[in-house]
């Protein structure tokens, strides 16, 4: 039997959900017995591959790059998991939504600068007008709340998916 293909990425967020994923510790060995990680921060792949079974996406959609990666992951994956409160609700990244983007960039990069005050344009992704949860841009199949989700909750979700079941998150996970 072929192994399940898992891709992970983080969009606008702190990477805490990926840290929590790594905190499943030695249980990662059991996961890797049934799955291959084909995209993510610890994998050398430069582009989201075709035929991913499970996409695990952390972070809010805040930039054009976030939007494009989320759309590519959705198009090339069977199941999309929104991992953590930023992906599920927009959480901290969406706190900027009350401030016009141009004003925000001006405040940070010009008014707040101590050297070379200018809004960067080279190599910086264009911010969207609003930051939002993953579901604001793509269809999400499973929402895993938590800031970050507890490792046991992440392991439960992965374990269920690896067994071909949809996880019943009922009492397993919570926001915050």
């Amino acid at each position: 039997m072929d192994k399940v293909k898992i891709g992970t990425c983080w969009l606008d967020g702190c990477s805490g959900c990926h840290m929590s994923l790594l905190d499943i510790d030695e249980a990662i060995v059991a996961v890797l017995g049934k799955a291959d990680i084909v995209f993510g921060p610890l994998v050398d792949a430069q582009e989201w591959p075709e035929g991913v079974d499970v996409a695990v996406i952390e972070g809010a959609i805040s930039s054009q790059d976030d939007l494009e990666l989320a759309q590519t992951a959705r198009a090339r994956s069977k199941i999309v998991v929104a991992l953590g409160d930023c992906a599920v609700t927009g959480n901290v990244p969406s706190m900027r939504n009350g401030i016009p983007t141009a004003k925000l960039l001006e405040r940070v990069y010009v008014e707040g600068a101590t050297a070379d005050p200018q809004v960067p344009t080279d190599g910086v992704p264009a911010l969207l007008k609003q930051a939002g949860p993953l579901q604001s841009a793509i269809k999400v199949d499973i929402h895993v709340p938590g800031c970050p989700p507890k490792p046991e909750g992440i392991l439960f979700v992965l374990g269920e998916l690896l067994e071909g079941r949809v996880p019943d998150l009922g009492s397993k996970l919570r926001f915050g």
Side-chain angles (χ1 to χ4, degrees):
M1 185 166 90
D2 289 337
K3 287 184 167 185
V4 172
K5 294 179 185 173
I6 297 175
T8 74
C9 66
W10 76 70
L11 307 176
D12 186 2
C14 69
S15 77
C17 295
H18 271 77
M19 297 285 85
S20 201
L21 171 62
L22 291 175
D23 282 344
I24 67 173
D25 298 327
E26 66 274 357
I28 195 76
V29 174
V31 170
L32 293 176
K34 295 181 179 185
D36 287 325
I37 299 175
V38 296
F39 188 89
L42 302 175
V43 177
D44 196 30
Q46 300 299 307
E47 183 178 332
W48 195 276
E50 297 283 347
V52 172
D53 297 300
V54 179
V56 179
I57 304 177
E58 163 187 358
I61 305 283
S62 294
S63 70
Q64 190 61 39
D65 286 4
D66 294 340
L67 178 61
E68 290 170 10
L69 181 54
Q71 289 172 334
T72 299
R74 173 74 270 179
R76 297 179 182 178
S77 305
K78 293 176 187 168
I79 296 171
V80 171
V81 177
L83 183 64
D85 290 350
C86 291
V88 173
T89 68
N91 205 20
V92 172
S94 67
M95 291 171 71
R96 73 167 173 89
N97 288 349
I99 305 167
T101 304
K103 187 174 181 176
L104 175 71
L105 294 172
E106 184 78 15
R107 174 71 176 113
V108 171
Y109 292 107
V110 177
E111 296 172 27
T114 56
D116 195 22
Q118 63 180 326
V119 176
T121 55
D122 237 9
V124 178
L127 287 180
L128 300 174
K129 287 182 181 182
Q130 300 280 296
L134 192 56
Q135 68 202 16
S136 69
I138 64 170
K139 179 184 179 280
V140 172
D141 302 297
I142 299 168
H143 296 84
V144 181
C147 187
K150 293 193 181 307
E152 309 80 53
I154 296 171
L155 183 58
F156 170 75
V157 169
L158 290 177
E160 289 295 287
L161 291 171
L162 291 174
E163 293 299 323
R165 298 185 293 260
V166 175
D168 177 6
L169 302 179
S171 63
K172 300 276 184 203
L173 301 167
R174 64 177 180 79
F175 285 94

